[in-house]
Amino acid sequence: TVEPMTISTKIQRESRRRSRDPFDIFNDPFFSLGQQLEPMQVESPAVTLRVKPLPVTDVPPGFAGAVGTYKLRAYVDKPATKTNEAVTLTVQIDGVGNIKTLPEPAIMFPPDLEHYDPKSSEQIRRDQQRISGNKRFDYVVIARAPGDQVIPSITYVFFDPSSNTYSTVSTVPLTLSVEKGTGALTGIGIPVANKRGVESIATDIAYIKTRTDGF
């Protein structure tokens, strides 16, 4: 139940009497053109929503809680690169639903593709009937070995309330052509651990500069 929303305001009412105090002439409603303000509280009715549970049968593997109707696509900013150079892999989910809370897709990266945690962003459109838009996940990947590096098909599972069923969408596999670069190769043939972006930790200490070298 969504509780009522209330506001406190004042309304004008016609005055039916005039002050009898001769020294209260300027407070006489006559000088307010027969109107006086009265406080009033206005509230909306409560709204009741009936929430259905998600089906617990026939739940596909990989379902992480996404509800809505979605499409999925993935692409890299350049199909060819060299070892130790960064490439951006973008996975974008478009559709109708709670865009902001869409979980990150599961991606099986090849062992020779070092990857970092994604940066996510949303574009949300709201109207009276629905919420729609898209959510992007941008991954920085670095090839550590030459050759064709294939990112397998990415799948995304969601519950579609319009059809009352679970659905799965997929992308096509992506091939990244990697040439040997000038830098030294690292981690060839060895699975590279997932890398995290820079994080702010130990924020209880802020170091102070004792001098300024100019601006």
mmCIF file of all heavy atoms in Angstrom, residues 90-136:
data_model
loop_
_atom_site.group_PDB
_atom_site.id
_atom_site.type_symbol
_atom_site.label_atom_id
_atom_site.label_comp_id
_atom_site.label_asym_id
_atom_site.label_seq_id
_atom_site.Cartn_x
_atom_site.Cartn_y
_atom_site.Cartn_z
ATOM 1 N N THR A 90 31.562 -3.525 -25.295
ATOM 2 C CA THR A 90 30.315 -2.931 -24.805
ATOM 3 C C THR A 90 29.189 -3.941 -24.920
ATOM 4 O O THR A 90 28.979 -4.524 -25.981
ATOM 5 C CB THR A 90 29.953 -1.670 -25.601
ATOM 6 O OG1 THR A 90 30.983 -0.688 -25.439
ATOM 7 C CG2 THR A 90 28.634 -1.074 -25.101
ATOM 8 N N VAL A 91 28.500 -4.151 -23.813
ATOM 9 C CA VAL A 91 27.297 -4.984 -23.791
ATOM 10 C C VAL A 91 26.138 -4.076 -23.404
ATOM 11 O O VAL A 91 26.170 -3.434 -22.351
ATOM 12 C CB VAL A 91 27.430 -6.151 -22.800
ATOM 13 C CG1 VAL A 91 26.162 -7.002 -22.827
ATOM 14 C CG2 VAL A 91 28.652 -6.994 -23.120
ATOM 15 N N GLN A 92 25.119 -4.019 -24.264
ATOM 16 C CA GLN A 92 24.004 -3.090 -24.040
ATOM 17 C C GLN A 92 22.690 -3.853 -23.978
ATOM 18 O O GLN A 92 22.407 -4.701 -24.827
ATOM 19 C CB GLN A 92 23.952 -2.030 -25.138
ATOM 20 C CG GLN A 92 22.832 -1.005 -24.951
ATOM 21 C CD GLN A 92 22.986 0.193 -25.871
ATOM 22 O OE1 GLN A 92 24.079 0.738 -26.010
ATOM 23 N NE2 GLN A 92 21.897 0.615 -26.477
ATOM 24 N N ILE A 93 21.899 -3.516 -22.963
ATOM 25 C CA ILE A 93 20.577 -4.112 -22.772
ATOM 26 C C ILE A 93 19.535 -3.030 -23.007
ATOM 27 O O ILE A 93 19.547 -1.993 -22.355
ATOM 28 C CB ILE A 93 20.436 -4.697 -21.361
ATOM 29 C CG1 ILE A 93 21.595 -5.667 -21.062
ATOM 30 C CG2 ILE A 93 19.095 -5.398 -21.186
ATOM 31 C CD1 ILE A 93 21.703 -6.045 -19.610
ATOM 32 N N ASP A 94 18.636 -3.249 -23.970
ATOM 33 C CA ASP A 94 17.574 -2.296 -24.303
ATOM 34 C C ASP A 94 16.225 -2.923 -23.997
ATOM 35 O O ASP A 94 16.022 -4.127 -24.202
ATOM 36 C CB ASP A 94 17.621 -1.910 -25.784
ATOM 37 C CG ASP A 94 18.903 -1.215 -26.169
ATOM 38 O OD1 ASP A 94 19.896 -1.909 -26.473
ATOM 39 O OD2 ASP A 94 18.924 0.018 -26.173
ATOM 40 N N GLY A 95 15.278 -2.097 -23.529
ATOM 41 C CA GLY A 95 13.943 -2.631 -23.337
ATOM 42 C C GLY A 95 13.110 -1.847 -22.356
ATOM 43 O O GLY A 95 13.370 -0.678 -22.073
ATOM 44 N N VAL A 96 12.108 -2.532 -21.826
ATOM 45 C CA VAL A 96 11.139 -1.946 -20.905
ATOM 46 C C VAL A 96 11.247 -2.681 -19.575
ATOM 47 O O VAL A 96 11.180 -3.918 -19.539
ATOM 48 C CB VAL A 96 9.706 -2.057 -21.455
ATOM 49 C CG1 VAL A 96 8.693 -1.500 -20.460
ATOM 50 C CG2 VAL A 96 9.594 -1.337 -22.789
ATOM 51 N N GLY A 97 11.431 -1.937 -18.511
ATOM 52 C CA GLY A 97 11.532 -2.549 -17.186
ATOM 53 C C GLY A 97 12.326 -1.664 -16.248
ATOM 54 O O GLY A 97 12.544 -0.483 -16.520
ATOM 55 N N ASN A 98 12.775 -2.252 -15.154
ATOM 56 C CA ASN A 98 13.552 -1.507 -14.166
ATOM 57 C C ASN A 98 14.996 -1.458 -14.647
ATOM 58 O O ASN A 98 15.853 -2.253 -14.218
ATOM 59 C CB ASN A 98 13.448 -2.178 -12.797
ATOM 60 C CG ASN A 98 13.930 -1.276 -11.677
ATOM 61 O OD1 ASN A 98 14.548 -0.242 -11.925
ATOM 62 N ND2 ASN A 98 13.650 -1.656 -10.445
ATOM 63 N N ILE A 99 15.280 -0.505 -15.528
ATOM 64 C CA ILE A 99 16.578 -0.429 -16.198
ATOM 65 C C ILE A 99 17.714 -0.263 -15.190
ATOM 66 O O ILE A 99 18.778 -0.880 -15.314
ATOM 67 C CB ILE A 99 16.589 0.743 -17.201
ATOM 68 C CG1 ILE A 99 15.456 0.581 -18.237
ATOM 69 C CG2 ILE A 99 17.937 0.843 -17.894
ATOM 70 C CD1 ILE A 99 15.589 -0.615 -19.123
ATOM 71 N N LYS A 100 17.519 0.541 -14.184
ATOM 72 C CA LYS A 100 18.612 0.891 -13.273
ATOM 73 C C LYS A 100 19.141 -0.311 -12.506
ATOM 74 O O LYS A 100 20.320 -0.373 -12.158
ATOM 75 C CB LYS A 100 18.137 1.974 -12.301
ATOM 76 C CG LYS A 100 19.268 2.665 -11.550
ATOM 77 C CD LYS A 100 18.757 3.833 -10.754
ATOM 78 C CE LYS A 100 19.891 4.598 -10.083
ATOM 79 N NZ LYS A 100 20.808 5.204 -11.060
ATOM 80 N N THR A 101 18.288 -1.281 -12.207
ATOM 81 C CA THR A 101 18.702 -2.416 -11.378
ATOM 82 C C THR A 101 19.069 -3.648 -12.190
ATOM 83 O O THR A 101 19.245 -4.729 -11.610
ATOM 84 C CB THR A 101 17.588 -2.776 -10.377
ATOM 85 O OG1 THR A 101 16.414 -3.165 -11.108
ATOM 86 C CG2 THR A 101 17.252 -1.594 -9.488
ATOM 87 N N LEU A 102 19.185 -3.536 -13.503
ATOM 88 C CA LEU A 102 19.531 -4.701 -14.307
ATOM 89 C C LEU A 102 20.906 -5.229 -13.902
ATOM 90 O O LEU A 102 21.874 -4.472 -13.838
ATOM 91 C CB LEU A 102 19.529 -4.342 -15.798
ATOM 92 C CG LEU A 102 18.162 -4.090 -16.436
ATOM 93 C CD1 LEU A 102 18.333 -3.692 -17.894
ATOM 94 C CD2 LEU A 102 17.279 -5.315 -16.309
ATOM 95 N N PRO A 103 21.022 -6.525 -13.635
ATOM 96 C CA PRO A 103 22.311 -7.075 -13.212
ATOM 97 C C PRO A 103 23.278 -7.192 -14.381
ATOM 98 O O PRO A 103 22.889 -7.210 -15.554
ATOM 99 C CB PRO A 103 21.945 -8.450 -12.647
ATOM 100 C CG PRO A 103 20.679 -8.817 -13.357
ATOM 101 C CD PRO A 103 19.949 -7.536 -13.610
ATOM 102 N N GLU A 104 24.543 -7.284 -14.046
ATOM 103 C CA GLU A 104 25.600 -7.422 -15.051
ATOM 104 C C GLU A 104 25.499 -8.778 -15.744
ATOM 105 O O GLU A 104 25.250 -9.800 -15.084
ATOM 106 C CB GLU A 104 26.958 -7.279 -14.366
ATOM 107 C CG GLU A 104 28.151 -7.492 -15.265
ATOM 108 C CD GLU A 104 29.448 -7.511 -14.485
ATOM 109 O OE1 GLU A 104 29.440 -7.146 -13.289
ATOM 110 O OE2 GLU A 104 30.486 -7.895 -15.077
ATOM 111 N N PRO A 105 25.677 -8.839 -17.060
ATOM 112 C CA PRO A 105 25.647 -10.135 -17.741
ATOM 113 C C PRO A 105 26.873 -10.971 -17.403
ATOM 114 O O PRO A 105 27.929 -10.442 -17.033
ATOM 115 C CB PRO A 105 25.624 -9.746 -19.225
ATOM 116 C CG PRO A 105 26.273 -8.402 -19.268
ATOM 117 C CD PRO A 105 25.896 -7.713 -17.997
ATOM 118 N N ALA A 106 26.733 -12.267 -17.522
ATOM 119 C CA ALA A 106 27.848 -13.186 -17.289
ATOM 120 C C ALA A 106 28.576 -13.412 -18.617
ATOM 121 O O ALA A 106 27.952 -13.784 -19.615
ATOM 122 C CB ALA A 106 27.342 -14.503 -16.721
ATOM 123 N N ILE A 107 29.892 -13.187 -18.626
ATOM 124 C CA ILE A 107 30.695 -13.301 -19.845
ATOM 125 C C ILE A 107 31.838 -14.281 -19.588
ATOM 126 O O ILE A 107 32.543 -14.175 -18.583
ATOM 127 C CB ILE A 107 31.259 -11.938 -20.279
ATOM 128 C CG1 ILE A 107 30.125 -10.923 -20.452
ATOM 129 C CG2 ILE A 107 32.051 -12.064 -21.574
ATOM 130 C CD1 ILE A 107 30.597 -9.532 -20.797
ATOM 131 N N MET A 108 32.019 -15.209 -20.508
ATOM 132 C CA MET A 108 33.119 -16.172 -20.422
ATOM 133 C C MET A 108 34.258 -15.669 -21.306
ATOM 134 O O MET A 108 34.285 -15.908 -22.512
ATOM 135 C CB MET A 108 32.644 -17.553 -20.873
ATOM 136 C CG MET A 108 31.520 -18.123 -20.020
ATOM 137 S SD MET A 108 32.027 -18.411 -18.301
ATOM 138 C CE MET A 108 33.259 -19.678 -18.552
ATOM 139 N N PHE A 109 35.185 -14.946 -20.716
ATOM 140 C CA PHE A 109 36.314 -14.402 -21.468
ATOM 141 C C PHE A 109 37.350 -15.500 -21.735
ATOM 142 O O PHE A 109 37.566 -16.379 -20.899
ATOM 143 C CB PHE A 109 36.971 -13.262 -20.691
ATOM 144 C CG PHE A 109 36.188 -11.986 -20.678
ATOM 145 C CD1 PHE A 109 35.347 -11.678 -19.628
ATOM 146 C CD2 PHE A 109 36.298 -11.081 -21.730
ATOM 147 C CE1 PHE A 109 34.621 -10.495 -19.607
ATOM 148 C CE2 PHE A 109 35.585 -9.895 -21.728
ATOM 149 C CZ PHE A 109 34.738 -9.604 -20.663
ATOM 150 N N PRO A 110 38.008 -15.452 -22.903
ATOM 151 C CA PRO A 110 39.107 -16.382 -23.165
ATOM 152 C C PRO A 110 40.232 -16.177 -22.161
ATOM 153 O O PRO A 110 40.401 -15.080 -21.609
ATOM 154 C CB PRO A 110 39.548 -16.015 -24.588
ATOM 155 C CG PRO A 110 38.414 -15.270 -25.181
ATOM 156 C CD PRO A 110 37.731 -14.564 -24.049
ATOM 157 N N PRO A 111 41.037 -17.221 -21.906
ATOM 158 C CA PRO A 111 42.101 -17.109 -20.899
ATOM 159 C C PRO A 111 43.116 -16.015 -21.203
ATOM 160 O O PRO A 111 43.691 -15.434 -20.275
ATOM 161 C CB PRO A 111 42.750 -18.495 -20.918
ATOM 162 C CG PRO A 111 41.711 -19.405 -21.477
ATOM 163 C CD PRO A 111 40.931 -18.589 -22.443
ATOM 164 N N ASP A 112 43.351 -15.725 -22.494
ATOM 165 C CA ASP A 112 44.375 -14.752 -22.856
ATOM 166 C C ASP A 112 43.845 -13.334 -23.004
ATOM 167 O O ASP A 112 44.550 -12.446 -23.482
ATOM 168 C CB ASP A 112 45.071 -15.172 -24.158
ATOM 169 C CG ASP A 112 45.881 -16.448 -23.984
ATOM 170 O OD1 ASP A 112 46.415 -16.649 -22.880
ATOM 171 O OD2 ASP A 112 45.973 -17.244 -24.941
ATOM 172 N N LEU A 113 42.602 -13.113 -22.603
ATOM 173 C CA LEU A 113 42.031 -11.759 -22.596
ATOM 174 C C LEU A 113 41.913 -11.294 -21.150
ATOM 175 O O LEU A 113 41.048 -11.752 -20.396
ATOM 176 C CB LEU A 113 40.663 -11.725 -23.272
ATOM 177 C CG LEU A 113 40.620 -11.586 -24.791
ATOM 178 C CD1 LEU A 113 39.190 -11.393 -25.262
ATOM 179 C CD2 LEU A 113 41.496 -10.451 -25.289
ATOM 180 N N GLU A 114 42.788 -10.399 -20.765
ATOM 181 C CA GLU A 114 42.693 -9.811 -19.436
ATOM 182 C C GLU A 114 41.566 -8.785 -19.440
ATOM 183 O O GLU A 114 41.452 -7.984 -20.372
ATOM 184 C CB GLU A 114 44.022 -9.151 -19.070
ATOM 185 C CG GLU A 114 44.073 -8.608 -17.654
ATOM 186 C CD GLU A 114 45.440 -8.045 -17.315
ATOM 187 O OE1 GLU A 114 46.334 -8.113 -18.193
ATOM 188 O OE2 GLU A 114 45.615 -7.523 -16.206
ATOM 189 N N HIS A 115 40.727 -8.804 -18.422
ATOM 190 C CA HIS A 115 39.572 -7.911 -18.411
ATOM 191 C C HIS A 115 39.396 -7.290 -17.036
ATOM 192 O O HIS A 115 39.814 -7.840 -16.018
ATOM 193 C CB HIS A 115 38.299 -8.651 -18.823
ATOM 194 C CG HIS A 115 37.943 -9.786 -17.911
ATOM 195 N ND1 HIS A 115 38.579 -11.006 -17.948
ATOM 196 C CD2 HIS A 115 37.018 -9.882 -16.923
ATOM 197 C CE1 HIS A 115 38.064 -11.808 -17.038
ATOM 198 N NE2 HIS A 115 37.118 -11.152 -16.396
ATOM 199 N N TYR A 116 38.754 -6.129 -17.031
ATOM 200 C CA TYR A 116 38.523 -5.357 -15.819
ATOM 201 C C TYR A 116 37.021 -5.259 -15.559
ATOM 202 O O TYR A 116 36.208 -5.441 -16.471
ATOM 203 C CB TYR A 116 39.129 -3.957 -15.935
ATOM 204 C CG TYR A 116 40.637 -3.954 -15.981
ATOM 205 C CD1 TYR A 116 41.321 -4.251 -17.162
ATOM 206 C CD2 TYR A 116 41.386 -3.663 -14.846
ATOM 207 C CE1 TYR A 116 42.705 -4.255 -17.209
ATOM 208 C CE2 TYR A 116 42.780 -3.674 -14.885
ATOM 209 C CZ TYR A 116 43.430 -3.963 -16.070
ATOM 210 O OH TYR A 116 44.793 -3.973 -16.113
ATOM 211 N N ASP A 117 36.672 -4.969 -14.335
ATOM 212 C CA ASP A 117 35.264 -4.783 -13.994
ATOM 213 C C ASP A 117 34.658 -3.680 -14.855
ATOM 214 O O ASP A 117 35.309 -2.671 -15.135
ATOM 215 C CB ASP A 117 35.099 -4.421 -12.520
ATOM 216 C CG ASP A 117 35.268 -5.636 -11.615
ATOM 217 O OD1 ASP A 117 35.354 -6.747 -12.161
ATOM 218 O OD2 ASP A 117 35.333 -5.464 -10.385
ATOM 219 N N PRO A 118 33.408 -3.841 -15.277
ATOM 220 C CA PRO A 118 32.827 -2.887 -16.221
ATOM 221 C C PRO A 118 32.407 -1.576 -15.568
ATOM 222 O O PRO A 118 32.168 -1.496 -14.357
ATOM 223 C CB PRO A 118 31.600 -3.635 -16.754
ATOM 224 C CG PRO A 118 31.184 -4.487 -15.605
ATOM 225 C CD PRO A 118 32.465 -4.924 -14.930
ATOM 226 N N LYS A 119 32.309 -0.572 -16.404
ATOM 227 C CA LYS A 119 31.696 0.692 -16.028
ATOM 228 C C LYS A 119 30.285 0.697 -16.607
ATOM 229 O O LYS A 119 30.105 0.516 -17.812
ATOM 230 C CB LYS A 119 32.492 1.873 -16.579
ATOM 231 C CG LYS A 119 31.851 3.232 -16.294
ATOM 232 C CD LYS A 119 32.645 4.361 -16.932
ATOM 233 C CE LYS A 119 31.980 5.707 -16.704
ATOM 234 N NZ LYS A 119 32.721 6.816 -17.364
ATOM 235 N N SER A 120 29.280 0.894 -15.762
ATOM 236 C CA SER A 120 27.896 0.845 -16.217
ATOM 237 C C SER A 120 27.300 2.241 -16.307
ATOM 238 O O SER A 120 27.676 3.150 -15.568
ATOM 239 C CB SER A 120 27.048 -0.018 -15.279
ATOM 240 O OG SER A 120 26.994 0.548 -13.985
ATOM 241 N N SER A 121 26.354 2.403 -17.228
ATOM 242 C CA SER A 121 25.646 3.674 -17.409
ATOM 243 C C SER A 121 24.241 3.364 -17.903
ATOM 244 O O SER A 121 23.999 2.335 -18.540
ATOM 245 C CB SER A 121 26.385 4.591 -18.400
ATOM 246 O OG SER A 121 26.520 3.960 -19.661
ATOM 247 N N GLU A 122 23.309 4.262 -17.589
ATOM 248 C CA GLU A 122 21.918 4.050 -17.995
ATOM 249 C C GLU A 122 21.354 5.270 -18.713
ATOM 250 O O GLU A 122 21.753 6.395 -18.442
ATOM 251 C CB GLU A 122 21.029 3.755 -16.778
ATOM 252 C CG GLU A 122 21.490 2.623 -15.900
ATOM 253 C CD GLU A 122 22.245 3.118 -14.693
ATOM 254 O OE1 GLU A 122 22.177 4.327 -14.412
ATOM 255 O OE2 GLU A 122 22.927 2.300 -14.051
ATOM 256 N N GLN A 123 20.452 5.012 -19.618
ATOM 257 C CA GLN A 123 19.600 6.037 -20.223
ATOM 258 C C GLN A 123 18.166 5.595 -19.987
ATOM 259 O O GLN A 123 17.740 4.561 -20.505
ATOM 260 C CB GLN A 123 19.895 6.195 -21.715
ATOM 261 C CG GLN A 123 21.240 6.845 -22.016
ATOM 262 C CD GLN A 123 21.437 7.100 -23.492
ATOM 263 O OE1 GLN A 123 20.704 6.569 -24.338
ATOM 264 N NE2 GLN A 123 22.418 7.906 -23.829
ATOM 265 N N ILE A 124 17.410 6.377 -19.193
ATOM 266 C CA ILE A 124 16.080 5.967 -18.754
ATOM 267 C C ILE A 124 15.042 6.957 -19.260
ATOM 268 O O ILE A 124 15.229 8.172 -19.168
ATOM 269 C CB ILE A 124 16.031 5.862 -17.216
ATOM 270 C CG1 ILE A 124 17.049 4.818 -16.731
ATOM 271 C CG2 ILE A 124 14.631 5.480 -16.739
ATOM 272 C CD1 ILE A 124 17.141 4.703 -15.234
ATOM 273 N N ARG A 125 13.962 6.421 -19.792
ATOM 274 C CA ARG A 125 12.816 7.225 -20.244
ATOM 275 C C ARG A 125 11.587 6.803 -19.440
ATOM 276 O O ARG A 125 11.288 5.613 -19.338
ATOM 277 C CB ARG A 125 12.578 7.024 -21.748
ATOM 278 C CG ARG A 125 13.744 7.453 -22.620
ATOM 279 C CD ARG A 125 13.434 7.251 -24.092
ATOM 280 N NE ARG A 125 13.273 5.844 -24.413
ATOM 281 C CZ ARG A 125 14.275 5.032 -24.737
ATOM 282 N NH1 ARG A 125 15.515 5.481 -24.762
ATOM 283 N NH2 ARG A 125 14.044 3.765 -25.030
ATOM 284 N N ARG A 126 10.877 7.800 -18.906
ATOM 285 C CA ARG A 126 9.696 7.522 -18.099
ATOM 286 C C ARG A 126 8.477 8.211 -18.706
ATOM 287 O O ARG A 126 8.534 9.360 -19.101
ATOM 288 C CB ARG A 126 9.888 8.021 -16.661
ATOM 289 C CG ARG A 126 10.990 7.307 -15.889
ATOM 290 C CD ARG A 126 11.123 7.888 -14.492
ATOM 291 N NE ARG A 126 12.076 7.163 -13.675
ATOM 292 C CZ ARG A 126 13.376 7.428 -13.627
ATOM 293 N NH1 ARG A 126 13.869 8.416 -14.365
ATOM 294 N NH2 ARG A 126 14.180 6.722 -12.861
ATOM 295 N N ASP A 127 7.378 7.486 -18.769
ATOM 296 C CA ASP A 127 6.099 8.096 -19.130
ATOM 297 C C ASP A 127 5.039 7.565 -18.175
ATOM 298 O O ASP A 127 5.358 6.893 -17.187
ATOM 299 C CB ASP A 127 5.729 7.828 -20.597
ATOM 300 C CG ASP A 127 5.715 6.340 -20.935
ATOM 301 O OD1 ASP A 127 5.330 5.539 -20.059
ATOM 302 O OD2 ASP A 127 6.084 5.982 -22.063
ATOM 303 N N GLN A 128 3.776 7.836 -18.460
ATOM 304 C CA GLN A 128 2.722 7.461 -17.522
ATOM 305 C C GLN A 128 2.496 5.960 -17.467
ATOM 306 O O GLN A 128 1.923 5.454 -16.502
ATOM 307 C CB GLN A 128 1.420 8.166 -17.905
ATOM 308 C CG GLN A 128 1.473 9.679 -17.753
ATOM 309 C CD GLN A 128 0.157 10.336 -18.115
ATOM 310 O OE1 GLN A 128 -0.742 9.681 -18.619
ATOM 311 N NE2 GLN A 128 0.045 11.629 -17.866
ATOM 312 N N GLN A 129 2.919 5.238 -18.476
ATOM 313 C CA GLN A 129 2.605 3.824 -18.559
ATOM 314 C C GLN A 129 3.779 2.911 -18.219
ATOM 315 O O GLN A 129 3.573 1.805 -17.736
ATOM 316 C CB GLN A 129 2.088 3.484 -19.971
ATOM 317 C CG GLN A 129 0.840 4.246 -20.372
ATOM 318 C CD GLN A 129 -0.354 3.910 -19.505
ATOM 319 O OE1 GLN A 129 -0.475 2.792 -19.006
ATOM 320 N NE2 GLN A 129 -1.225 4.883 -19.292
ATOM 321 N N ARG A 130 5.031 3.362 -18.507
ATOM 322 C CA ARG A 130 6.133 2.425 -18.359
ATOM 323 C C ARG A 130 7.462 3.164 -18.221
ATOM 324 O O ARG A 130 7.551 4.367 -18.459
ATOM 325 C CB ARG A 130 6.195 1.480 -19.558
ATOM 326 C CG ARG A 130 6.460 2.199 -20.875
ATOM 327 C CD ARG A 130 6.442 1.238 -22.046
ATOM 328 N NE ARG A 130 6.866 1.896 -23.280
ATOM 329 C CZ ARG A 130 7.010 1.275 -24.442
ATOM 330 N NH1 ARG A 130 6.753 -0.019 -24.510
ATOM 331 N NH2 ARG A 130 7.393 1.916 -25.516
ATOM 332 N N ILE A 131 8.482 2.380 -17.845
ATOM 333 C CA ILE A 131 9.855 2.857 -17.791
ATOM 334 C C ILE A 131 10.654 2.062 -18.811
ATOM 335 O O ILE A 131 10.605 0.834 -18.833
ATOM 336 C CB ILE A 131 10.459 2.670 -16.390
ATOM 337 C CG1 ILE A 131 9.667 3.477 -15.361
ATOM 338 C CG2 ILE A 131 11.920 3.090 -16.362
ATOM 339 C CD1 ILE A 131 10.142 3.276 -13.942
ATOM 340 N N SER A 132 11.379 2.749 -19.666
ATOM 341 C CA SER A 132 12.146 2.077 -20.707
ATOM 342 C C SER A 132 13.511 2.749 -20.827
ATOM 343 O O SER A 132 13.791 3.754 -20.175
ATOM 344 C CB SER A 132 11.404 2.129 -22.054
ATOM 345 O OG SER A 132 11.223 3.484 -22.464
ATOM 346 N N GLY A 133 14.364 2.181 -21.689
ATOM 347 C CA GLY A 133 15.681 2.749 -21.897
ATOM 348 C C GLY A 133 16.699 1.670 -22.159
ATOM 349 O O GLY A 133 16.380 0.588 -22.664
ATOM 350 N N ASN A 134 17.945 1.945 -21.776
ATOM 351 C CA ASN A 134 18.998 0.960 -21.967
ATOM 352 C C ASN A 134 20.039 1.088 -20.861
ATOM 353 O O ASN A 134 20.159 2.125 -20.212
ATOM 354 C CB ASN A 134 19.661 1.103 -23.346
ATOM 355 C CG ASN A 134 20.377 2.425 -23.509
ATOM 356 O OD1 ASN A 134 21.418 2.675 -22.906
ATOM 357 N ND2 ASN A 134 19.838 3.303 -24.350
ATOM 358 N N LYS A 135 20.774 0.007 -20.674
ATOM 359 C CA LYS A 135 21.875 -0.011 -19.715
ATOM 360 C C LYS A 135 23.093 -0.604 -20.408
ATOM 361 O O LYS A 135 22.998 -1.645 -21.054
ATOM 362 C CB LYS A 135 21.516 -0.824 -18.473
ATOM 363 C CG LYS A 135 22.566 -0.736 -17.365
ATOM 364 C CD LYS A 135 22.063 -1.337 -16.070
ATOM 365 C CE LYS A 135 23.051 -1.118 -14.931
ATOM 366 N NZ LYS A 135 22.545 -1.624 -13.637
ATOM 367 N N ARG A 136 24.231 0.100 -20.275
ATOM 368 C CA ARG A 136 25.464 -0.320 -20.928
ATOM 369 C C ARG A 136 26.495 -0.762 -19.898
ATOM 370 O O ARG A 136 26.610 -0.185 -18.828
ATOM 371 C CB ARG A 136 26.051 0.822 -21.757
ATOM 372 C CG ARG A 136 25.319 1.127 -23.034
ATOM 373 C CD ARG A 136 25.983 2.259 -23.782
ATOM 374 N NE ARG A 136 27.439 2.168 -23.801
ATOM 375 C CZ ARG A 136 28.208 2.911 -24.589
ATOM 376 N NH1 ARG A 136 27.657 3.784 -25.410
ATOM 377 N NH2 ARG A 136 29.518 2.782 -24.551
#
